[in-house]
Amino acid sequence: MLQSSLRRRLLVGLATTVFLAPALIAPASAAPQEAAQTTVFDIQAGTLDAVLVAFATQSGRTVAYSPTLVAGRRSDGLRGRFTPEAALDRLIAGAGIDIHRRGDKGFVLKARRAGIAPITTLEAPTPIEGVTAEEPNQLAELVVTGSLIRGAGNGVSPVVTVTRDELDRSGRANISDLLANLPQAFGGSASPDTALAATDGTGSNLAMSTGVNLRGLGPSATLVMVNGRRMAGSGLTGAFADTSAIPAAAVDRAEVLLDGASALYGSDAVGGVVNIILRKDFSGAETRARIGVAQGGGAFERSVAQTLGKAWESGHALISYEHYQRDRLASADRAFTANADLRALGGTAHRQVASHPGNILVLDAASGTYVPTWAIPAGQSGVGLTPASFQAGTVNLENQRLATDILPEQNRDAVYLAFGQRLASRLEVSGDLRASKRRNGFAMPGSISNLTVTRANPYFVSPNGSASHVIGYSFTDELGPLRSRGKADSLGASLAAAVDIGRTWRADFYGAYAEEVTRRASDHRLNTRFLSEALGTIADDPATAYSAARDGYFNPFGDGAANSQAVLDFIGSGYIHTRYVSTVTTLNGQLDGTLLELPGGSVKLAIGGQFRQEHFDTRTLAKTSRATETRTVTGPFERKISAGFLELRVPLVGPGNALPGVQRLELSLAGRIEHYDDVGDTKNPKFGVLWAPTGSTTFRASYGTSFRAPSLPEVFEPQDAGPVFLPNAGVNRLVLLRAGGNPTLQPEKAKSWTAGVDYVSGRWPGLKLSATWFDTRFTGQIGTPVYENIYNVLGNPVYAPFVQMLSASNPADQAKIAALLATTTSGGLYPANAYTAIVDGRYVNTGGLHIQGLDVSARFGRAIGTGRLDLTAAATYLIHYKRKLTPAGDWLSLVDTAGQPVDLRAKASATWTQGAWSATGGLNYVDDYATAAGVRIDRWTTIDAQLAWRAPGERLAKGLSLALSVQNLLASDPPFYDAPQGIGYDTANADPLGRFVSLQLTKRW
C-alpha cells in the first residue's frame, strides 16, 4: 500500500513534470518566427466533424462549414507541427472539400464544384473572396462548451471531451455510465445502487435516475445540458438531470467543463457543466444491436437502435430510435450484498431485531430503547403457546437484504429528431425533439413494525404475565419485500433561428422546453391502521369490510403460515402512488461577433438575455395509516428567472504580433446577472487569462463565482417526519426523523480558481500533457447534513444542532413528540414514549464545502509499422475535501473516508489498431481509504478490454463492425466495507456489477 505522503510526492512529481515539460522538451533553437507560424497538433482519428472541432480548439482558428458537408465522413487525424493551413489541408485530404480563407484567422470549407453540393446553414457574415455569387456562403461556426462566442477555440477553463468512438470502445451501453467513470466524477449519490442500498443521503432518487456529480460537489451542482439546452430535474426534488434518459445511439460527444460557469450558464453550474451533444450531421443509416451479461447472474442487457439521416441542398434531418433493457441485479446474486450479517466477510452483523418470528421487546428506562428480551420460538403456528414457550435471552434476527435488489430492472424507449432548414440567404431555422419513456422496477426491504399486542388478541400469551407486549416484527415473509414499479418520461424540445446581420455579427434565438414526469407505484404495503384492527388493539372499523372476529385476527406469535391469506390481504392492502412533474421553459436571445480588430486578433463579444420559468408539483395517493385514501397535492411551485449576460475575448498577442516568449496572450471576461422572483438577485463574474510562451505550450488561469438557487421542493416541500432506528453506543435507538423544505433557504454560492498548462510536443508528435489545479469554496451549501451521515448522528457532537434528546419522564418532551406525531403520515407505528430523540433532517444552508486538487492527463499516439498505438491516462488527486456543517462549526476533513471521495482516482487505456482489427485495454484505479473508525478499505483496480473488427471492402460488408467488450476482466470484487446498511461495499466508490461481457454489432448502410 502506498502511504499517503508517498502518493502525494508521486502526484506532485507528475504534476511538476507536466508543468516543466515545455522547458525540458521544447526545442531551444526554435526561432520565434517559426513558432509563430506553426502549431503542434494532436488530433485523434474520428468523424470529420469531431476532427474539425479539435482542429479549431488546438489552432485557435475559426472554421466555418455546413454540417451536411461533413456528414458521414471520417478523418485519420493528425499529429505533429504544421501551419494551420497545412494541418487543415491534411485533415480533409480526399474529402472533395475546398478551403477558403476568411481574414487572418478564419477558414471556410465548401464542396468542390466537381464533387458533392454543400448544404449550407446561416452562419457566415459576409461573402467570401473567390466564391461566386451563386455559391452559398452562410456557414456554421463551431461553438464549444465553456464559451458563448462562435469560433472562440480553446479557452481558459479545462474541458474533457468524451467522443462517440470512446463510448463505443468503452463497451458501456449508456453515456451515463461512461461519465460516471471519469476520474473527476463521484458516485456517492444520484445512482440506482446508492438508492437501493439506502446510502444516498438525499433519499430523493425515486426514479432510479443517474446524475453527474463532478468533484463531489453534489449532482445538483453540476449543470447537465443536451445540445446546450437545460434538462428538467429528476426525482423527489427535481434537483439533478437524469443522463440515463439519453439514447446512446444518438450521442455524438459529451463535453465536460471542469470549472464553475454560472457567469455563462447561470444556476447549477458550480462544479462544472456537462453538455451532451447529439448527432446532427449524420447522413445515411446505422443499425446497432448489443447484448451484455454479468458473471454471477443478473443485469442482463440488450439494446437495439436505428438512426437515419438525410441531407438536401438547403437543410438536413435526422431521426434515431433506441430500445434498451436491463434485468434487475438481485442482492442475492452478490456475496457482499446477499446478507446483512457480514461476519463471514470480516465485518459485523447488521441484521435487525424486527424479525419473523418476532421478539418481545421491553422498554429499558435507562437507555430509552426497546430491548429484545424473549424470542418467539421458530417452527410453530402461534397457537397453544404457554409462558414457558418463549426463549429468554435469545434474539431472533432478520436478514433485511433477503429478496431485495441492488440494481433495478430498467426498460427504456427513446427517440431523437433533429432538423435544419435555410429559409433565406440570411435566415436559418433548426430544432430538435428528444423523448424517452423509462420503466423500472425493484424490491427493497419489507415492512417492519413494533406491534403493540393486548389480551384482546386471542393468540396473546405473556411470558411474565403482562397485559400487553411490544413485538419487533418483520412482514417480509408474509407480505414480501416492498416492490415498487415506476415510470420516468423525459422530454426535451427546442426551436432556434439564426439571423446573419452582416460584418461578422449574428443573432441567435431559441425557445426550449424540458419536462420530466416520474410516477411511482408501491402496492401491497403494510397498512398500520388495518394492522391495529386485525390485532384487536382497536375496535372493528365499520368503514372497512373486514371484521377480525369474523375474518380472523392477526397472529404475531407464529412462524411460517400462521396467518390466513384473508388476514394478510387486509393488512397488506396499503399503497403509495406518487407523481412528480418538473418542467423548465427557456427563451434565449444572443448577439455575437467581432467588436474590433487588434494586432493580436479580433476582439469578440457575445451579449444576450434569457427568461426561464421552472415548475414542480407532486401528487400522492396513499393508504398506509388510515382506513381511507389520503390525497396529497404539493405545489404547483413556480419561479421566474430573468437574466442578462455577456462574454468578451481580447487577444492582446496573436500570430500577427507574436513576441519571443509570448506567442499568444488572451484575456477573457464573462458576467451574468439573474433575478429570481423568489430568492432575489445574483451577480456572477468570471475572469481568465491564456498565455502561450511557445507554439506548443499554453498556460491558463481563471477565477469566477458561481451559485445554485435552491430547488423548488427544497424551499416549499411540506414537512413530515417518520420513525428510524439509529445506532448509539452499540444500541439502536428509535428517533423521529424530520424532513421537508425550508422557506428561508438562500442560494448557495461558490468561488472557483483554476490554473493549468497544456503541452503538445513538437519533438515527439502525438504526445500531449495537461495539468490543472482547482480550488472551489462553497458557502451556504444547501443540504441535509444528518441524512448524509445518518448512522453517525447520535452521540456525535458535530450534529448536536440537529438532535434533540427526549426523556420518557419529561412531560414537555412527550408533548412535543405527540404534537409532531399527530401531523405525520406514520404516527401510529410506535407509541410516543418509545422515541428517544428528534433528529432534524430538513434542508438548511450549511457552513460550506472546500475542495482543492489536481487533474493530470497524458496522451500519446504513434504509427508503428503498419499499425498504430494510442495511449491515454488521466488522474484526479484531491488535496482537500472539507465541510462545515454549520456556519459556526469547525472544518471536517472528509477525503479518504467511507462514503466520501477518495484522494486519488485514475484511469488509463491503450489501443492497438492493425488493419481491420483493434484491441483496447483499460485500467481503472481507486485508491485505498478508511472508515470513520480508521478501518482500512483496500484500493480497487479493475481492467477492461475490447476486441473490435471493422469489415474491410465494399458491398454488404461495408460499414459492418463488431466489438466484444469485457468490463472488470479479472472479476475483481469491490473492496470490503462494513457498511451500516448491511452491505459489504462502498456504493460511493465502487459498483456491484462484477465482470460484464457485451457484444455489439454495428452496420452502416
Side-chain angles (χ1 to χ4, degrees):
M1 176 179 111
L2 287 175
Q3 298 299 318
S4 178
S5 59
L6 176 58
R7 291 197 301 270
R8 288 191 177 91
R9 288 197 295 271
L10 287 174
L11 265 293
V12 171
L14 177 57
T16 303
T17 301
V18 171
F19 273 91
L20 294 182
L24 299 174
I25 299 177
S29 61
Q33 183 177 1
E34 179 187 358
Q37 295 173 347
T38 62
T39 300
V40 178
F41 291 93
D42 176 26
I43 302 174
Q44 288 186 309
T47 65
L48 184 53
D49 183 52
V51 165
L52 291 173
V53 171
F55 168 80
T57 300
Q58 295 182 20
S59 67
R61 303 297 177 92
T62 297
V63 183
Y65 58 89
S66 164
T68 51
L69 180 67
V70 298
R73 297 177 180 272
R74 296 183 62 84
S75 171
D76 292 333
L78 183 71
R79 287 174 173 82
R81 181 182 291 278
F82 301 93
T83 64
E85 292 82 356
L88 185 58
D89 185 64
R90 290 182 179 226
L91 290 171
I92 65 172
I97 297 174
D98 286 329
I99 303 172
H100 301 271
R101 295 297 302 265
R102 178 198 293 173
D104 293 333
K105 297 185 64 177
F107 300 100
V108 176
L109 305 184
K110 288 179 173 290
R112 290 176 184 163
R113 286 285 189 171
I116 62 171
I119 292 136
T120 60
T121 59
L122 178 66
E123 302 289 346
T126 57
I128 300 160
E129 182 179 356
V131 180
T132 66
E134 290 77 21
E135 288 181 300
N137 53 49
Q138 292 80 24
L139 304 172
E141 285 184 290
L142 301 173
V143 179
V144 297
T145 304
S147 178
L148 304 174
I149 297 173
R150 290 171 296 136
N154 56 319
V156 297
S157 297
V159 176
V160 173
T161 300
V162 179
T163 66
R164 167 84 254 169
D165 289 342
E166 288 173 321
L167 176 59
D168 289 337
R169 286 199 304 270
S170 73
R172 289 171 167 81
N174 298 299
I175 187 66
S176 57
D177 298 333
L178 191 56
L179 292 171
N181 197 46
L182 293 175
Q184 298 86 356
F186 171 62
S189 60
S191 66
D193 67 323
T194 58
L196 294 186
T199 58
D200 185 344
T202 67
S204 65
N205 193 9
L206 295 181
M208 299 294 110
S209 302
T210 303
V212 183
N213 184 355
L214 295 176
R215 310 290 195 203
L217 294 172
S220 61
T222 299
L223 175 61
V224 178
M225 302 186 294
V226 176
N227 294 336
R229 316 295 193 241
R230 284 177 175 262
M231 298 179 68
S234 176
L236 183 63
T237 62
F240 67 92
D242 178 19
T243 56
S244 70
I246 308 299
V251 173
D252 179 70
R253 65 185 185 277
E255 296 174 346
V256 183
L257 176 69
L258 298 168
D259 193 5
S262 289
L264 296 171
Y265 302 109
S267 179
D268 305 344
V270 180
V273 178
V274 175
N275 188 12
I276 300 173
I277 300 170
L278 304 184
R279 287 172 156 179
K280 293 182 181 179
D281 64 342
F282 181 80
S283 186
E286 180 186 81
T287 304
R288 289 174 175 262
R290 179 183 183 275
I291 59 170
V293 61
Q295 180 180 350
F300 176 55
E301 287 185 342
R302 51 271 195 203
S303 64
V304 292
Q306 181 65 54
T307 301
L308 301 170
K310 175 67 175 176
W312 55 95
E313 185 175 354
S314 58
H316 62 277
L318 177 142
I319 182 170
S320 182
Y321 166 78
E322 181 178 84
H323 172 77
Y324 167 78
Q325 188 170 349
R326 185 189 68 197
D327 294 345
R328 70 190 183 106
L329 178 61
S331 299
D333 290 335
R334 299 293 181 267
F336 46 84
T337 58
N339 198 323
D341 186 351
L342 299 174
R343 289 176 296 178
L345 301 177
T348 57
H350 300 276
R351 292 177 297 172
Q352 58 193 21
V353 297
S355 61
H356 187 231
N359 296 287
I360 295 179
L361 310 178
V362 174
L363 181 63
D364 178 47
S367 65
T369 62
Y370 278 99
V371 178
T373 306
W374 292 278
I376 296 174
Q380 47 80 36
S381 65
V383 177
L385 294 178
T386 68
S389 301
F390 298 93
Q391 302 166 357
T394 301
V395 180
N396 294 320
L397 295 172
E398 179 86 0
N399 173 25
Q400 62 268 28
R401 300 303 306 169
L402 185 68
T404 65
D405 296 330
I406 192 63
L407 288 176
E409 171 191 349
Q410 297 270 21
N411 189 319
R412 183 191 67 221
D413 289 280
V415 63
Y416 169 67
L417 300 93
F419 77 93
Q421 178 64 51
R422 178 167 53 87
L423 300 180
S425 62
R426 292 179 178 271
L427 174 64
E428 181 192 281
V429 296
S430 61
D432 57 61
L433 173 68
R434 172 186 51 83
S436 72
K437 290 183 175 293
R438 185 167 57 84
R439 307 293 181 263
N440 57 81
F442 55 86
M444 296 187 72
S447 299
I448 61 172
S449 183
N450 282 4
L451 313 179
T452 299
V453 188
T454 69
R455 294 188 182 277
N457 186 292
Y459 304 105
F460 179 83
V461 180
S462 172
N464 64 353
S466 297
S468 66
H469 279 298
V470 174
I471 298 177
Y473 198 89
S474 170
F475 294 87
T476 302
D477 288 346
E478 296 169 306
L479 301 182
L482 293 180
R483 297 194 179 276
S484 183
R485 302 201 67 82
K487 299 187 291 184
D489 297 338
S490 180
L491 175 68
S494 71
L495 185 64
V499 181
D500 178 12
I501 299 175
R503 295 186 177 276
T504 78
W505 289 88
R506 188 182 76 175
D508 288 279
F509 306 93
Y510 75 80
Y513 176 80
E515 179 182 85
E516 190 85 13
V517 180
T518 301
R519 296 176 177 86
R520 173 68 50 203
S522 181
D523 297 310
H524 308 297
R525 298 177 67 99
L526 177 68
N527 184 304
T528 57
R529 168 82 180 192
F530 293 168
L531 174 63
S532 297
E533 185 177 346
L535 282 169
T537 55
I538 64 173
D540 278 345
D541 188 345
T544 70
Y546 188 87
S547 169
R550 181 187 69 238
D551 301 315
Y553 284 87
F554 180 78
N555 183 353
F557 293 94
D559 185 21
N563 291 289
S564 69
Q565 192 61 46
V567 174
L568 297 180
D569 287 345
F570 177 58
I571 68 170
S573 61
Y575 57 83
I576 300 177
H577 295 172
T578 57
R579 188 198 70 168
Y580 304 87
V581 178
S582 173
T583 68
V584 180
T585 304
T586 306
L587 297 175
N588 194 91
Q590 175 182 316
L591 184 70
D592 80 302
T594 299
L595 192 62
L596 56 93
E597 295 289 343
L598 295 179
S602 302
V603 178
K604 294 188 175 183
L605 172 70
I607 186 169
Q610 185 179 96
F611 173 80
R612 192 167 74 250
Q613 180 169 302
E614 299 174 354
H615 168 103
F616 191 89
D617 70 74
T618 68
R619 302 286 189 274
T620 302
L621 302 178
K623 192 164 72 171
T624 57
S625 60
R626 292 177 172 85
T628 58
E629 181 180 84
T630 301
R631 294 174 178 263
T632 303
V633 178
T634 305
F637 308 132
E638 291 186 348
R639 67 158 52 117
K640 297 179 175 64
I641 307 105
S642 54
F645 53 86
L646 64 83
E647 181 186 3
L648 186 69
R649 293 285 188 96
V650 183
L652 301 178
V653 179
N657 62 343
L659 302 170
V662 187
Q663 299 300 308
R664 182 183 177 192
L665 182 62
E666 181 176 294
L667 303 179
S668 65
L669 167 67
R672 189 180 183 100
I673 300 175
E674 291 203 345
H675 171 73
Y676 286 71
D677 63 356
D678 58 342
V679 294
D681 299 335
T682 180
K683 305 176 182 67
N684 291 276
K686 184 171 184 177
F687 308 94
V689 60
L690 189 149
W691 165 48
T694 69
S696 58
T697 307
T698 302
F699 292 92
R700 46 184 164 75
S702 70
Y703 165 78
T705 65
S706 299
F707 77 102
R708 183 182 78 86
S711 70
L712 291 168
E714 287 172 345
V715 176
F716 299 111
E717 179 184 312
Q719 298 185 12
D720 199 359
V724 175
F725 284 94
L726 297 181
N728 182 26
V731 178
N732 284 330
R733 297 179 181 271
L734 179 66
V735 307
L736 187 67
L737 182 61
R738 302 187 68 182
N742 183 349
T744 65
L745 286 178
Q746 296 298 310
E748 53 190 27
K749 301 177 181 178
K751 296 180 179 179
S752 299
W753 296 84
T754 69
V757 59
D758 302 306
Y759 174 75
V760 180
S761 174
R763 179 173 294 181
W764 291 283
L767 174 65
K768 181 179 181 180
L769 306 174
S770 181
T772 300
W773 169 85
F774 57 89
D775 185 288
T776 300
R777 296 172 184 262
F778 255 117
T779 56
Q781 186 183 29
I782 298 167
T784 54
V786 299
Y787 275 106
E788 296 172 11
N789 198 17
I790 190 67
Y791 289 96
N792 293 307
V793 168
L794 297 184
N796 189 333
V798 171
Y799 296 94
F802 308 104
V803 178
Q804 178 186 351
M805 302 304 297
L806 301 174
S807 170
S809 61
N810 187 325
D813 286 352
Q814 294 307 300
K816 184 169 186 176
I817 190 71
L820 285 173
L821 288 173
T823 64
T824 69
T825 58
S826 53
L829 288 177
Y830 303 97
N833 63 358
Y835 292 90
T836 62
I838 299 172
V839 178
D840 194 347
R842 293 173 294 180
Y843 291 101
V844 295
N845 286 106
T846 63
L849 178 66
H850 176 208
I851 66 165
Q852 186 183 98
L854 184 69
D855 292 328
V856 294
S857 65
R859 173 177 292 172
F860 179 74
R862 173 170 290 184
I864 302 176
T866 58
R868 178 175 182 80
L869 177 66
D870 289 283
L871 306 173
T872 64
T876 294
Y877 181 74
L878 278 180
I879 301 169
H880 295 303
Y881 187 86
K882 301 186 295 185
R883 174 169 290 165
K884 281 205 303 184
L885 297 183
T886 63
D890 296 327
W891 285 103
L892 304 174
S893 179
L894 300 177
V895 67
D896 266 354
T897 57
Q900 304 293 338
V902 300
D903 62 352
L904 178 61
R905 286 170 54 96
K907 61 182 299 185
S909 70
T911 299
W912 173 257
T913 304
Q914 180 81 43
W917 294 88
S918 67
T920 299
L923 182 144
N924 308 286
Y925 177 81
V926 178
D927 205 11
D928 64 326
Y929 53 113
T931 68
V935 179
R936 178 176 178 263
I937 302 172
D938 287 338
R939 66 172 68 98
W940 193 37
T941 304
T942 60
I943 296 174
D944 301 334
Q946 183 187 81
L947 181 64
W949 172 77
R950 186 188 300 269
E954 300 294 327
R955 299 182 181 177
L956 291 179
K958 183 179 181 181
L960 180 66
S961 62
L962 196 65
L964 176 66
S965 305
V966 185
Q967 298 170 43
N968 197 351
L969 178 66
L970 302 182
S972 174
D973 282 343
F976 177 73
Y977 166 50
D978 191 9
Q981 294 84 359
I983 59 173
Y985 80 106
D986 183 5
T987 59
N989 294 295
D991 71 73
L993 194 57
R995 179 187 289 140
F996 190 85
V997 182
S998 64
L999 181 66
Q1000 177 167 292
L1001 182 146
T1002 305
K1003 171 64 173 151
R1004 290 197 174 189
W1005 306 88

